[in-house]
Amino acid sequence: MSVKKAISSSDVARLAGVSRSAVSRTFTPGAYVSDETRAKVMAAAEALSYRPNAIARSLSTSQSGLIGIVTSSLDNPFYARLLSTLATLLQAQGYGILLVVADDANFDTLIESLLAYQVNGAILTTAPLRSTSAFELQRYGKPVVLVDRYLNQEMISSVSGDNHAGSAAVADLLVRGGHQRVAFLGGDEGTSSSRDRRHGFTDRLARHGIVLYAEESGFYSYELGMVAARKLLALSPKPDAIFCANDAMAVAAVEVARAEFGLRIPEDIAIVGYDNAGPVGWPTYQLTTVDQNLEEMAQAAIDLLVRKLESGDVSTEHLSVAPTLVERSTTREQPAAAGKAA
């Protein structure tokens, strides 16, 4: 059985009557080629069933066309949606995606491996606060942008939600509802997002003359959120409101409060989440939460990364996206009637 000869760019160039470089430019995102030349090349490519070899092109240009995306917690609806949005936007601009799923334990090793794949740049949705591996990527000329968090160091660009403002809005809402025993169910204490949500919340409560009643950590996990919610609701007296640092933990808190403690929401206890992701808008939950405006955040991160790729800009930028408080039925605007509180 004969093996069909692979069609090369030279074959396309010969049929189209143009140079090989013109063929290369036609299939390179952002490269200039006249409309007439592009039409000739595309017609020849169609006639020959030609598809460009991205691997060969990367060897000749030292540009893989790949963007590394480092993420974690894909079971968290927020990160799953963020990953989908980032990938869709990058692909629309002609970039390929190299996905790496990391946690604090293997983060540094996996980040370093991106260099072996010659990624053009990287977007990180997870990063231990003390990690230095992101700097290694930049040292080798690979722009890096963090999304939804930032590092303590100032040298890595980032796009994140304004967690202080979002959490302060939650505090104002709970105070308007007449809540006094307000608890916080935190995420991973080693992340900037959980830390800033706590600070924004407690600082605004203090301005209202309220001290945080209790707190636990659920590490952004539904399962651990259930454990933490049980601890908070076992207190006597119980909290009359819980602000959770993400929606997965807030959903867990709602289920524990209703099913295990027989509490009415929001009459006996108010529960608020953060992210506006997953099932929070379903009739079962109707959870009050903070929308991070994820699409705007993802677009800003990609615009920042692409700008650095195209210009060679090595400056550091930190962009913040304003959040939106989404009020649903797990909170109230007015204090409960006398005798109704838990």
Side-chain angles (χ1 to χ4, degrees):
M1 182 177 65
S2 61
V3 178
K4 185 177 180 180
K5 177 180 177 292
I7 301 299
S8 69
S9 60
S10 296
D11 298 321
V12 176
R14 189 178 304 111
L15 181 60
V18 300
S19 65
R20 280 188 62 189
S21 62
V23 176
S24 176
R25 291 195 305 274
T26 299
F27 289 101
T28 300
Y32 173 75
V33 62
S34 70
D35 291 342
E36 181 183 358
T37 298
R38 182 182 300 278
K40 290 179 179 179
V41 170
M42 296 307 294
E46 181 67 23
L48 296 173
S49 299
Y50 169 78
R51 294 294 180 272
N53 187 327
I55 296 175
R57 185 169 64 232
S58 70
L59 291 173
S60 63
T61 63
S62 298
Q63 293 292 321
S64 66
L66 291 175
I67 300 298
I69 298 182
V70 183
T71 190
S72 65
S73 306
L74 289 178
D75 56 341
N76 183 326
F78 174 80
Y79 284 108
R81 184 173 144 216
L82 177 58
L83 174 61
S84 175
T85 303
L86 288 169
T88 300
L89 293 173
L90 283 168
Q91 288 167 180
Q93 297 201 33
Y95 289 99
I97 308 301
L98 179 62
L99 175 64
V100 174
V101 180
D103 55 32
D104 285 7
N106 66 2
F107 179 85
D108 289 338
T109 300
L110 291 177
I111 288 295
E112 290 173 2
S113 72
L114 292 179
L115 288 169
Y117 287 95
Q118 295 294 309
V119 296
N120 289 16
I123 292 178
L124 314 183
T125 70
T126 183
L129 286 175
R130 294 179 177 82
S131 173
T132 60
S133 290
F135 297 101
E136 286 296 300
L137 285 170
Q138 291 200 149
R139 191 164 69 86
Y140 283 92
K142 311 296 183 182
V144 177
V145 175
L146 282 89
V147 184
D148 191 41
R149 61 191 61 198
Y150 57 86
L151 295 175
N152 286 334
Q153 302 92 338
E154 292 296 317
M155 295 174 62
I156 304 295
S157 294
S158 66
V159 177
S160 57
D162 189 340
N163 291 304
H164 280 92
S167 301
V170 173
D172 290 339
L173 174 65
L174 295 178
V175 169
R176 288 197 303 271
H179 300 282
Q180 294 291 321
R181 299 187 305 277
V182 181
F184 179 65
L185 206 171
D188 186 341
E189 297 172 0
T191 63
S192 60
S193 55
S194 184
R195 180 190 62 201
D196 290 350
R197 289 168 196 175
R198 183 187 186 280
H199 287 169
F201 187 59
T202 56
D203 289 351
R204 183 58 63 89
L205 285 178
R207 288 177 57 180
H208 290 291
I210 296 176
V211 176
L212 193 66
Y213 179 67
E215 66 179 304
E216 291 287 342
S217 179
F219 298 94
Y220 287 137
S221 160
Y222 169 82
E223 291 79 10
L224 295 178
M226 294 190 77
V227 174
R230 291 184 186 110
K231 291 180 181 179
L232 291 173
L233 294 176
L235 296 173
S236 183
K238 294 178 176 57
D240 60 10
I242 301 176
F243 171 40
C244 305
N246 80 343
D247 288 337
M249 297 187 299
V251 166
V254 167
E255 293 179 353
V256 168
R258 285 174 173 163
E260 299 183 22
F261 288 83
L263 298 176
R264 300 168 301 164
I265 304 172
E267 293 85 356
D268 299 328
I269 187 170
I271 296 177
V272 182
Y274 211 104
D275 288 339
N276 198 28
V280 297
W282 295 358
T284 303
Y285 299 105
Q286 282 296 298
L287 182 74
T288 294
T289 185
V290 178
D291 192 322
Q292 295 205 69
N293 294 314
L294 180 151
E295 286 77 11
E296 181 181 348
M297 192 186 303
Q299 185 66 68
I302 289 172
D303 289 345
L304 178 57
L305 182 69
V306 171
R307 187 168 75 247
K308 290 182 177 298
L309 285 169
E310 293 178 346
S311 68
D313 179 15
V314 295
S315 64
T316 302
E317 298 180 51
H318 298 290
L319 307 179
S320 181
V321 174
T324 304
L325 180 64
V326 180
E327 295 183 49
R328 297 191 180 100
S329 63
T330 59
T331 53
R332 61 184 187 234
E333 275 288 345
Q334 301 297 327
K340 294 290 185 179

